């Protein structure tokens, strides 16, 4: 499913530009990474502020259809960047899809510079897969296979962050563009 072109054109993370900008504080000198960038719509917007913004996605077709530079096919569980490469990292509606989430968070900590910041946005689902029902039907997929985690800030803090090298800074809930959580992590 993640390799399909249809999946590549149906994700619209660029709606979250204002939220990312508000919480990530991008600046011109920052090295920034988006995990789960799709075709790079949000990367392109962030690059207007921070030209050294990169995006990765596991979907080869999404990267092939990319609309900006600095996009690579890559698995979040095995980031192909040197240690301490990025000042800031963000991800919108991606972490709920990653089977070995602790491994991905450990990789985020590894490539994040000391004092760096990671912003994660993920659905606030009362039932795992509930908010991907429509896209799951469109893609002919089981929604329980699309979202492999039902996450909340508490679950992220208790079950996935310990031992990764990241620390919780804050979390909040919002309704736009749908019920979702935002969690900010730091690397001490």
């Amino acid at each position: 499913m993640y390799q399909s072109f249809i999946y590549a054109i149906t994700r619209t993370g660029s709606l979250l530009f204002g939220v990312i900008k508000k919480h990530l504080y991008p600046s011109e000198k920052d090295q920034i990474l988006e995990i789960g960038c799709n075709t790079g719509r949000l990367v392109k917007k962030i690059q207007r502020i921070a030209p050294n913004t990169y995006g990765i996605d596991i979907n080869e077709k999404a990267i092939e259809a990319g609309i900006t530079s600095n996009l690579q096919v890559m698995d979040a569980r095995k980031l192909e960047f040197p240690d301490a490469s990025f000042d800031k990292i963000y991800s919108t509606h991606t972490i709920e899809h990653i089977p070995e989430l602790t491994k991905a968070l450990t990789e985020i900590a590894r490539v994040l510079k000391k004092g760096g910041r990671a912003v994660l946005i993920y659905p606030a689902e009362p039932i795992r897969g509930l908010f991907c029902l429509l896209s799951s039907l469109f893609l002919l997929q089981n929604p329980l296979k699309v979202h492999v985690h039902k996450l909340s800030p508490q679950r992220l803090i208790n079950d996935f962050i310990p031992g990764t090298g990241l620390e919780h800074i804050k979390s909040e809930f919002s309704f736009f563009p749908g019920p979702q959580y935002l969690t900010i992590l730091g690397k001490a």
Side-chain angles (χ1 to χ4, degrees), residues 106-175:
T106 301
E107 280 293 280
I108 287 171
R110 183 184 65 76
V111 301
L112 195 60
K113 292 177 183 175
K114 186 175 181 175
R117 180 180 195 90
V119 176
L120 307 175
I121 299 175
Y122 48 98
E125 297 177 306
I127 300 169
R128 180 171 59 105
L130 180 65
F131 296 152
C132 69
L133 281 175
L134 186 60
S135 59
S136 296
L137 292 172
F138 183 69
L139 296 167
L140 302 174
Q141 296 289 321
N142 176 341
L144 297 178
K145 290 183 180 176
V146 175
H147 287 179
V148 296
H149 302 287
K150 176 185 174 287
L151 296 172
S152 66
Q154 201 63 40
R155 181 151 189 247
L156 195 61
I157 294 163
N158 293 335
D159 297 348
F160 296 104
I161 293 174
T164 63
L166 297 169
E167 58 186 26
H168 179 254
I169 296 173
K170 79 173 195 173
S171 293
E172 60 186 51
F173 173 83
S174 75
F175 278 109

Side-chain angles (χ1 to χ4, degrees), residues 78-86 89 104-113 164 166 187:
K78 189 174 185 213
L79 297 174
E80 300 167 22
F81 299 105
D83 294 357
S85 294
F86 298 98
I89 297 174
L105 291 168
T106 301
E107 280 293 280
I108 287 171
R110 183 184 65 76
V111 301
L112 195 60
K113 292 177 183 175
T164 63
L166 297 169
K187 181 176 178 182

Side-chain angles (χ1 to χ4, degrees), residues 3 13 24 53 55 71 75 88 96 115 136 142 148 150 167 177:
Q3 296 303 320
L24 196 66
T53 298
L71 305 180
D75 189 325
K88 297 167 183 169
E96 68 274 11
S136 296
N142 176 341
V148 296
K150 176 185 174 287
E167 58 186 26

Side-chain angles (χ1 to χ4, degrees), residues 2-188:
Y2 296 116
Q3 296 303 320
S4 78
F5 181 72
I6 292 171
Y7 185 77
I9 62 173
T10 58
R11 296 207 47 229
T12 55
S14 63
L15 290 173
L16 296 168
F17 173 70
V19 176
I20 291 297
K21 185 178 171 188
K22 175 183 173 186
H23 293 283
L24 196 66
Y25 313 121
S27 68
E28 186 177 355
K29 64 177 178 58
D30 286 334
Q31 298 278 339
I32 299 175
L33 175 65
E34 179 179 359
I35 295 175
C37 69
N38 199 333
T39 60
R41 288 185 191 105
L42 191 49
V43 170
K44 186 175 182 175
K45 288 183 177 192
I46 299 291
Q47 284 173 336
R48 293 180 192 144
I49 302 165
N52 292 318
T53 298
Y54 298 81
I56 66 152
D57 203 294
I58 200 165
N59 185 338
E60 293 176 24
K61 291 188 175 33
I63 298 300
E64 287 170 10
I67 62 166
T68 191
S69 61
N70 299 339
L71 305 180
Q72 296 180 47
V73 175
M74 198 178 300
D75 189 325
R77 298 168 297 182
K78 189 174 185 213
L79 297 174
E80 300 167 22
F81 299 105
D83 294 357
S85 294
F86 298 98
D87 301 289
K88 297 167 183 169
I89 297 174
Y90 66 94
S91 183
T92 65
H93 293 273
T94 298
I95 65 170
E96 68 274 11
H97 300 271
I98 301 173
E100 297 169 286
L101 183 53
T102 300
K103 195 176 209 180
L105 291 168
T106 301
E107 280 293 280
I108 287 171
R110 183 184 65 76
V111 301
L112 195 60
K113 292 177 183 175
K114 186 175 181 175
R117 180 180 195 90
V119 176
L120 307 175
I121 299 175
Y122 48 98
E125 297 177 306
I127 300 169
R128 180 171 59 105
L130 180 65
F131 296 152
C132 69
L133 281 175
L134 186 60
S135 59
S136 296
L137 292 172
F138 183 69
L139 296 167
L140 302 174
Q141 296 289 321
N142 176 341
L144 297 178
K145 290 183 180 176
V146 175
H147 287 179
V148 296
H149 302 287
K150 176 185 174 287
L151 296 172
S152 66
Q154 201 63 40
R155 181 151 189 247
L156 195 61
I157 294 163
N158 293 335
D159 297 348
F160 296 104
I161 293 174
T164 63
L166 297 169
E167 58 186 26
H168 179 254
I169 296 173
K170 79 173 195 173
S171 293
E172 60 186 51
F173 173 83
S174 75
F175 278 109
F176 179 78
Q180 62 188 10
Y181 295 112
L182 176 140
T183 294
I184 300 172
L185 305 172
K187 181 176 178 182

